[in-house]
Amino acid sequence: MAESGSPPASSTTSTVSDGEIPTNLPSDMGMDYVPLATMLATGQLAEADQFTRDALIKLCGATEKGRNFVYWTEVKLIPSTDLATIERLWNKFSGGKFGYSVQKKKWRQSKNDFEVFCRKIGWTTKDGDVERKKRWFGASEFIYDVKKAPEGHLPLTSALRGTSLIKQLLTHPVWENDDWKIEP
């Protein structure tokens, strides 16, 4: 499930002019994606990652039910328009390095093997000879730097309760064609 949790340590920021931040960011649910665009444009990746998780929670209706996570069965409720907007922003401001479409490509390359997938996108680390998933809560071990993080590293999706959520996000109908890439 996409846990809201506490945001990880802040990332470094950069200066971007307002003209570089898109404002035509469609939403079927009335979401305002300008904050996400601003965070991504200024390199605030940890904050953008948290915004993305929170947006998915709202978009699937979990917030109204008093939950701060997404059930995998609710992914289909996330409007394609909104997921496409989120994806275009992650793609644009990472130079095509981050986003669910990038993760979908890595998922296919991993032959749908979650352990291989996690290694490919840098969600694992080694403690001596023991490989484990990176820690999210407390002091995050994830990389919030476009230059240093592996392709597909962000946005994060919690697999604490299993891998069904990430699998559903990567098979959402929005990815059935390339229409999501079309700028509004």
Side-chain angles (χ1 to χ4, degrees):
M1 295 342 99
E3 302 276 350
S4 181
S6 57
S10 294
S11 13
T12 54
T13 60
S14 63
T15 310
V16 175
S17 73
D18 287 342
E20 296 176 49
I21 298 171
T23 56
N24 185 7
L25 302 169
S27 171
D28 287 350
M29 303 289 288
M31 290 284 294
D32 178 7
Y33 291 110
V34 172
L36 177 60
T38 303
M39 290 172 205
L40 289 167
T42 57
Q44 298 174 68
L45 299 182
E47 295 81 357
D49 187 47
Q50 185 64 48
F51 182 99
T52 300
R53 258 188 311 287
D54 292 342
L56 295 180
I57 291 164
K58 282 182 186 170
L59 292 167
C60 78
T63 305
E64 294 168 0
K65 296 172 187 159
R67 272 191 287 109
N68 67 345
F69 58 89
V70 177
Y71 283 127
W72 65 270
T73 55
E74 296 170 327
V75 170
K76 64 183 178 264
L77 302 175
I78 299 171
S80 292
T81 300
D82 288 79
L83 205 48
T85 297
I86 291 168
E87 185 65 13
R88 280 192 305 276
L89 290 171
W90 275 99
N91 264 242
K92 174 182 177 125
F93 292 109
S94 70
K97 193 171 184 178
F98 298 145
Y100 297 113
S101 64
V102 179
Q103 290 174 351
K104 181 177 180 166
K105 181 178 82 174
K106 295 295 182 184
W107 179 251
R108 280 194 311 257
Q109 290 171 354
S110 302
K111 298 183 179 7
N112 303 341
D113 181 315
F114 187 69
E115 298 305 317
V116 173
F117 171 74
C118 287
R119 278 185 222 110
K120 276 189 179 293
I121 64 172
W123 286 3
T124 59
T125 191
K126 285 207 170 204
D127 282 337
D129 292 336
V130 178
E131 184 179 71
R132 65 169 176 78
K133 301 293 180 295
K134 288 188 174 181
R135 290 186 183 99
W136 187 339
F137 296 102
S140 176
E141 297 176 326
F142 292 93
I143 305 164
Y144 296 97
D145 184 321
V146 174
K147 292 178 182 148
K148 295 178 184 173
E151 191 175 84
H153 191 68
L154 297 173
L156 300 177
T157 302
S158 175
L160 240 120
R161 294 183 179 98
T163 59
S164 296
L165 177 61
I166 187 76
K167 290 175 185 175
Q168 289 301 309
L169 280 168
L170 300 180
T171 58
H172 189 280
V174 73
W175 315 126
E176 290 175 2
N177 57 51
D178 286 341
D179 288 352
W180 67 266
K181 293 179 181 179
I182 300 168
E183 292 287 337

